[in-house]
Amino acid sequence: MGRMLGLTLAYLAHLAACTLGSERQQHQVQHGPCSYTFILPEMEHCQRQKNLEVSNTLQGDSPAQVKSAASQTTLGRTQKNRSSRQEIKLESLESATENNTLWLQKLENFIQENVRSGMEELKRTAVHTQTAAMLEMGTNLLSQSAEQTRKLTDVETQVLNQTSRLEIQLLEYSLFASRLEKRILLQTQEIARLSDKNSFLEERLSALEARYGTEVQGLQSEKQQLWELMQRQGRLVGQLQGELGSATLNNTLLQRQQAQLADRVEQLLALVNHCNEISHMPRQEPPRFRDCAEIRHSGETASGVYSIRLTNSTRSIKVFCDMETRGGGWTVFQHRRNGSVDFHRGWKDYKLGFGEPSGEHWLGNDIVHKMTRSGEYSLHVRLKDRDGNEAYSHYQRFYIEGEERNYSLHVEGFSGTAGRTNSMAHSGTQFSTKDRDNDRCTCKCAQLASGGWWFEACGPSNLNGVYYPSSSSVVRYNGIKWYYWKGPNLRVTMATMMVRPANF
């Protein structure tokens, strides 16, 4: 575009030089965004006569005919001068017009070439733009096609996997159906065989019924005779039971008389011993201890079996005293170590106690009640698992009530290493055995969990359950349990419960 403007300016300068500095009439042409200005020849100084005819050519003018010969002669010279000047001017105009025509042709050719090149450039730019847009659209389409292909591939993979699983399941179902068909066939054959055998047995039964009909009638008569004989024997047995009752009563009377005689013999022997005493000095009675704590205070430091006498009691009791744990002085009332003693017992055994103090034993609920109600006592529970790990639970205050309250448990002040939470039943829980159910469960915990214990609702503890060997790996509900130490998988090899005064 700048080159076109330069050529236009050069052309205008050339026109200005050709007009010899005179003012010329300008003509402006607008072509698209470009404008072209042309300087045309001046015609205003040429006087236009009425009789002057202007032709379409630029070669010359044809003069009008003269009416008279005189005037033609007069004006001959003037027209000759004017025609010479007009011819010169026409020649200059023709040369200028030719030059202008050539310049216009060149300018037109130049404009056409520039317009053509610009149009070609625009076309190429448009083609490139369209090509880039089409390439971008093609790229997007390819990306979308690839994404759709990937999604179709994923869906196809999923469909193939699902189809494979369905085929596998169908194959499994087919195999299962085949096995079922075989089993049904076998069962059908077995039913046919049993049906044949049943028919055979029915035939034999019919034959036997026909054969032994008379024998059955004879047996029925014998049965009637035996029934009558049994009635007579029953009456005889009733008489014998009455006689046995009277004999038992007589035996009881004899046993009482024998006991009275034995007491009198003991009294007589005591009198004889008293009369035969040589020394009249009073005998020194051995010291009496009400629990192992007093024995420990007396100077005994060895753990073992000792005799104690409870408050307001004349009976001596053998107990095992632990003189080592936490300063000693503990009276042991429960001990398990090898399963040699059966703890699945009734109410009476747990009331009076069973086992030996030196081994596995239960001291007795009556003794524990009398001991713990005579003062303020603490409870200490020691446990050991099959891996040799030991733990304990300590209760600062412990006692149980009497039989009239079903030996209700009372504990408080828990501490120890056998779990962060107390595994013992709550205070107020009553004691239960297999023949006396006092728990708070519709089931009988003493029968399900085994042993006698303070079962609240089959609760988290039972140290009197079945003793299973340490080699057993099966978790059993009725075993020894202290839940909050090691949960239901606890297999205890040793469990000990013992008491001593809280102010020891």
Side-chain angles (χ1 to χ4, degrees):
M1 186 63 67
R3 185 177 179 185
M4 291 171 64
L5 290 174
L7 290 173
T8 304
L9 292 175
Y11 176 68
L12 291 175
H14 176 71
L15 289 178
C18 292
T19 54
L20 300 176
S22 62
E23 293 181 356
R24 306 296 186 187
Q25 186 178 359
Q26 296 181 355
H27 181 72
Q28 189 174 3
V29 178
Q30 187 74 25
H31 183 74
C34 300
S35 63
Y36 306 96
T37 304
F38 303 96
I39 300 175
L40 299 176
E42 293 183 356
M43 298 296 294
E44 59 184 8
H45 298 290
C46 300
Q47 293 181 359
R48 187 174 181 180
Q49 297 180 1
K50 295 181 179 179
N51 57 358
L52 182 64
E53 292 180 2
V54 180
S55 64
N56 290 331
T57 64
L58 297 177
Q59 300 297 326
D61 295 328
S62 297
Q65 293 180 0
V66 183
K67 293 180 179 182
S68 64
S71 59
Q72 183 175 7
T73 305
T74 305
L75 294 172
R77 296 187 187 97
T78 303
Q79 291 178 353
K80 186 177 182 180
N81 292 331
R82 287 181 179 177
S83 62
S84 61
R85 287 196 300 270
Q86 288 179 355
E87 288 177 357
I88 294 170
K89 186 180 285 188
L90 285 173
E91 289 177 359
S92 63
L93 285 174
E94 286 178 358
S95 62
T97 302
E98 290 177 358
N99 292 332
N100 290 335
T101 303
L102 292 174
W103 275 98
L104 287 173
Q105 290 178 355
K106 291 180 180 180
L107 184 60
E108 184 178 0
N109 294 330
F110 178 76
I111 289 171
Q112 288 178 357
E113 290 177 358
N114 286 336
V115 169
R116 189 182 299 112
S117 62
M119 291 298 293
E120 291 177 354
E121 184 69 23
L122 289 174
K123 288 180 180 180
R124 285 195 297 270
T125 304
V127 169
H128 290 167
T129 304
Q130 292 179 359
T131 304
M134 290 179 68
L135 288 174
E136 184 177 0
M137 291 175 62
T139 304
N140 294 332
L141 288 174
L142 287 175
S143 301
Q144 294 178 2
S145 177
E147 182 67 19
Q148 293 296 329
T149 303
R150 186 184 62 79
K151 291 182 179 179
L152 288 174
T153 304
D154 294 340
V155 171
E156 184 178 1
T157 304
Q158 294 178 1
V159 170
L160 289 175
N161 293 335
Q162 187 69 19
T163 304
S164 300
R165 287 195 293 270
L166 291 175
E167 289 178 353
I168 293 172
Q169 291 180 358
L170 182 60
L171 182 59
E172 292 178 352
Y173 292 155
S174 300
L175 294 175
F176 183 70
S178 300
R179 288 196 295 269
L180 285 178
E181 288 178 356
K182 292 180 180 179
R183 290 184 180 178
I184 291 172
L185 182 59
L186 293 175
Q187 293 293 334
T188 305
Q189 294 175 356
E190 184 68 18
I191 290 171
R193 188 179 63 82
L194 292 175
S195 178
D196 295 339
K197 189 174 182 179
N198 188 25
S199 301
F200 176 72
L201 291 175
E202 287 179 353
E203 292 177 357
R204 290 192 62 184
L205 180 61
S206 300
L208 290 173
E209 287 178 352
R211 181 179 177 182
Y212 298 105
T214 55
E215 295 182 0
V216 169
Q217 292 178 358
L219 291 174
Q220 287 179 352
S221 61
E222 292 180 359
K223 180 180 178 181
Q224 184 66 29
Q225 294 176 1
L226 290 174
W227 176 252
E228 295 175 355
L229 180 61
M230 286 178 62
Q231 287 182 344
R232 290 194 297 270
Q233 294 291 336
R235 289 192 293 270
L236 181 60
V237 168
Q239 295 175 0
L240 291 175
Q241 287 178 349
E243 294 177 357
L244 180 61
S246 60
T248 302
L249 181 61
N250 294 331
N251 188 21
T252 302
L253 294 174
L254 291 174
Q255 288 178 353
R256 289 179 180 177
Q257 292 177 0
Q258 185 178 1
Q260 291 176 0
L261 290 175
D263 292 337
R264 290 178 182 178
V265 170
E266 288 181 357
Q267 292 176 1
L268 291 173
L269 290 174
L271 291 173
V272 170
N273 291 329
H274 181 69
C275 294
N276 291 333
E277 289 181 353
I278 299 174
S279 174
H280 298 282
M281 295 293 294
R283 292 184 301 174
Q284 185 177 3
E285 295 183 359
R288 297 177 181 178
F289 303 106
R290 62 175 184 174
D291 55 27
C292 292
E294 292 186 352
I295 298 175
R296 180 66 180 84
H297 286 312
S298 69
E300 294 291 341
T301 59
S303 299
V305 179
Y306 294 88
S307 295
I308 63 172
R309 184 177 295 179
L310 300 177
T311 304
N312 299 325
S313 176
T314 58
R315 185 168 69 94
S316 295
I317 304 170
K318 297 290 184 179
V319 296
F320 187 89
C321 296
D322 185 342
M323 302 298 186
E324 300 173 359
T325 302
R326 303 184 66 165
W330 296 100
T331 302
V332 177
F333 70 89
Q334 188 264 12
H335 184 62
R336 308 288 299 278
R337 66 181 182 185
N338 54 17
S340 59
V341 176
D342 181 18
F343 273 68
H344 191 48
R345 295 172 178 260
W347 182 267
K348 185 177 180 180
D349 288 340
Y350 274 97
K351 173 185 176 180
L352 302 177
F354 53 86
E356 295 296 329
S358 59
E360 292 194 341
H361 70 283
W362 180 266
L363 187 59
N365 287 337
D366 273 347
I367 298 173
V368 177
H369 161 66
K370 292 176 182 178
M371 182 182 297
T372 56
R373 293 302 287 168
S374 64
E376 188 172 348
Y377 277 76
S378 298
L379 170 66
H380 191 78
V381 180
R382 289 181 58 198
L383 301 170
K384 181 188 292 186
D385 65 8
R386 65 176 183 176
D387 297 325
N389 301 313
E390 293 191 20
Y392 71 91
S393 292
H394 185 81
Y395 302 89
Q396 187 63 30
R397 182 79 173 88
F398 166 76
Y399 71 92
I400 62 173
E401 299 185 29
E403 186 177 13
E404 68 279 1
R405 298 295 301 274
N406 295 322
Y407 302 115
S408 296
L409 173 71
H410 294 272
V411 290
E412 61 183 26
F414 165 75
S415 63
T417 60
R420 297 181 180 180
T421 306
N422 174 28
S423 293
M424 202 74 168
H426 294 89
S427 293
T429 303
Q430 298 180 357
F431 198 83
S432 296
T433 58
K434 63 181 180 180
D435 57 347
R436 191 160 175 174
D437 184 29
N438 297 313
D439 55 50
R440 298 177 184 177
C441 181
T442 56
C443 60
K444 294 184 178 181
C445 297
Q447 292 185 359
L448 293 176
S450 182
W453 191 253
W454 294 277
F455 296 107
E456 187 173 5
C458 299
S461 63
N462 178 19
L463 297 184
N464 292 333
V466 178
Y467 186 98
Y468 290 102
S470 60
S471 59
S472 176
S473 59
V474 179
V475 178
R476 295 178 173 85
Y477 181 75
N478 60 350
I480 299 174
K481 181 170 61 174
W482 199 260
Y483 184 83
Y484 291 111
W485 182 27
K486 291 191 176 182
N489 296 322
L490 174 64
R491 284 175 290 278
V492 174
T493 58
M494 188 273 290
T496 303
M497 303 177 69
M498 45 194 176
V499 295
R500 76 177 179 188
N503 58 357
F504 178 79

